mmCIF file of all heavy atoms in Angstrom:
data_model
loop_
_atom_site.group_PDB
_atom_site.id
_atom_site.type_symbol
_atom_site.label_atom_id
_atom_site.label_comp_id
_atom_site.label_asym_id
_atom_site.label_seq_id
_atom_site.Cartn_x
_atom_site.Cartn_y
_atom_site.Cartn_z
ATOM 1 N N GLU A 101 241.823 20.153 64.610
ATOM 2 C CA GLU A 101 241.306 19.182 63.645
ATOM 3 C C GLU A 101 239.863 19.444 63.241
ATOM 4 O O GLU A 101 239.355 18.822 62.309
ATOM 5 C CB GLU A 101 241.468 17.755 64.194
ATOM 6 C CG GLU A 101 242.921 17.311 64.351
ATOM 7 C CD GLU A 101 243.642 17.982 65.523
ATOM 8 O OE1 GLU A 101 242.956 18.408 66.480
ATOM 9 O OE2 GLU A 101 244.878 18.102 65.478
ATOM 10 N N ASP A 102 239.185 20.368 63.922
ATOM 11 C CA ASP A 102 237.841 20.777 63.499
ATOM 12 C C ASP A 102 237.900 21.953 62.537
ATOM 13 O O ASP A 102 236.893 22.323 61.943
ATOM 14 C CB ASP A 102 236.992 21.182 64.723
ATOM 15 C CG ASP A 102 236.859 20.039 65.707
ATOM 16 O OD1 ASP A 102 236.425 18.953 65.289
ATOM 17 O OD2 ASP A 102 237.224 20.223 66.883
ATOM 18 N N THR A 103 239.059 22.574 62.415
ATOM 19 C CA THR A 103 239.222 23.677 61.474
ATOM 20 C C THR A 103 239.778 23.103 60.166
ATOM 21 O O THR A 103 240.333 22.000 60.157
ATOM 22 C CB THR A 103 240.221 24.730 61.995
ATOM 23 O OG1 THR A 103 241.540 24.188 61.909
ATOM 24 C CG2 THR A 103 239.918 25.145 63.432
ATOM 25 N N PRO A 104 239.641 23.854 59.057
ATOM 26 C CA PRO A 104 240.166 23.338 57.791
ATOM 27 C C PRO A 104 241.637 22.915 57.900
ATOM 28 O O PRO A 104 242.015 21.871 57.365
ATOM 29 C CB PRO A 104 240.017 24.517 56.821
ATOM 30 C CG PRO A 104 239.055 25.450 57.454
ATOM 31 C CD PRO A 104 238.976 25.159 58.906
ATOM 32 N N LEU A 105 242.431 23.703 58.592
ATOM 33 C CA LEU A 105 243.869 23.404 58.687
ATOM 34 C C LEU A 105 244.149 21.999 59.191
ATOM 35 O O LEU A 105 245.030 21.310 58.689
ATOM 36 C CB LEU A 105 244.553 24.372 59.656
ATOM 37 C CG LEU A 105 245.037 25.684 59.109
ATOM 38 C CD1 LEU A 105 245.878 26.393 60.155
ATOM 39 C CD2 LEU A 105 245.861 25.454 57.847
ATOM 40 N N GLY A 106 243.432 21.599 60.214
ATOM 41 C CA GLY A 106 243.675 20.281 60.776
ATOM 42 C C GLY A 106 242.860 19.201 60.079
ATOM 43 O O GLY A 106 243.340 18.092 59.857
ATOM 44 N N ALA A 107 241.628 19.547 59.703
ATOM 45 C CA ALA A 107 240.700 18.539 59.185
ATOM 46 C C ALA A 107 241.151 17.939 57.855
ATOM 47 O O ALA A 107 240.988 16.747 57.618
ATOM 48 C CB ALA A 107 239.308 19.146 59.027
ATOM 49 N N MET A 108 241.748 18.775 56.995
ATOM 50 C CA MET A 108 242.066 18.292 55.653
ATOM 51 C C MET A 108 243.106 17.182 55.647
ATOM 52 O O MET A 108 243.124 16.353 54.742
ATOM 53 C CB MET A 108 242.508 19.461 54.773
ATOM 54 C CG MET A 108 241.347 20.413 54.478
ATOM 55 S SD MET A 108 241.748 21.689 53.308
ATOM 56 C CE MET A 108 242.836 22.726 54.247
ATOM 57 N N VAL A 109 243.972 17.148 56.643
ATOM 58 C CA VAL A 109 245.061 16.158 56.620
ATOM 59 C C VAL A 109 245.153 15.291 57.868
ATOM 60 O O VAL A 109 246.068 14.478 57.976
ATOM 61 C CB VAL A 109 246.422 16.847 56.375
ATOM 62 C CG1 VAL A 109 246.461 17.456 54.996
ATOM 63 C CG2 VAL A 109 246.715 17.894 57.432
ATOM 64 N N ASP A 110 244.197 15.450 58.799
ATOM 65 C CA ASP A 110 244.273 14.665 60.043
ATOM 66 C C ASP A 110 244.325 13.174 59.713
ATOM 67 O O ASP A 110 243.527 12.680 58.929
ATOM 68 C CB ASP A 110 243.058 14.969 60.927
ATOM 69 C CG ASP A 110 243.234 14.410 62.336
ATOM 70 O OD1 ASP A 110 244.386 14.158 62.744
ATOM 71 O OD2 ASP A 110 242.219 14.215 63.016
ATOM 72 N N GLY A 111 245.288 12.488 60.293
ATOM 73 C CA GLY A 111 245.422 11.043 60.095
ATOM 74 C C GLY A 111 246.111 10.634 58.806
ATOM 75 O O GLY A 111 246.313 9.448 58.566
ATOM 76 N N LEU A 112 246.472 11.593 57.965
ATOM 77 C CA LEU A 112 247.111 11.251 56.692
ATOM 78 C C LEU A 112 248.638 11.273 56.814
ATOM 79 O O LEU A 112 249.197 11.885 57.722
ATOM 80 C CB LEU A 112 246.690 12.227 55.582
ATOM 81 C CG LEU A 112 245.195 12.362 55.304
ATOM 82 C CD1 LEU A 112 244.966 13.305 54.126
ATOM 83 C CD2 LEU A 112 244.578 10.995 55.021
ATOM 84 N N THR A 113 249.268 10.590 55.872
ATOM 85 C CA THR A 113 250.729 10.574 55.751
ATOM 86 C C THR A 113 251.075 11.136 54.385
ATOM 87 O O THR A 113 250.442 10.776 53.400
ATOM 88 C CB THR A 113 251.230 9.117 55.827
ATOM 89 O OG1 THR A 113 250.922 8.598 57.108
ATOM 90 C CG2 THR A 113 252.729 9.022 55.591
ATOM 91 N N TRP A 114 252.048 12.023 54.313
ATOM 92 C CA TRP A 114 252.427 12.555 53.012
ATOM 93 C C TRP A 114 253.884 13.002 53.017
ATOM 94 O O TRP A 114 254.431 13.361 54.058
ATOM 95 C CB TRP A 114 251.523 13.733 52.611
ATOM 96 C CG TRP A 114 251.757 14.955 53.447
ATOM 97 C CD1 TRP A 114 252.623 15.983 53.165
ATOM 98 C CD2 TRP A 114 251.140 15.270 54.711
ATOM 99 N NE1 TRP A 114 252.567 16.918 54.177
ATOM 100 C CE2 TRP A 114 251.677 16.507 55.136
ATOM 101 C CE3 TRP A 114 250.192 14.626 55.514
ATOM 102 C CZ2 TRP A 114 251.292 17.109 56.330
ATOM 103 C CZ3 TRP A 114 249.818 15.226 56.713
ATOM 104 C CH2 TRP A 114 250.356 16.452 57.103
#
Side-chain angles (χ1 to χ4, degrees):
E101 294 73 25
D102 301 305
T103 73
L105 273 189
M108 291 187 289
V109 294
D110 192 21
L112 303 183
T113 296
W114 70 92

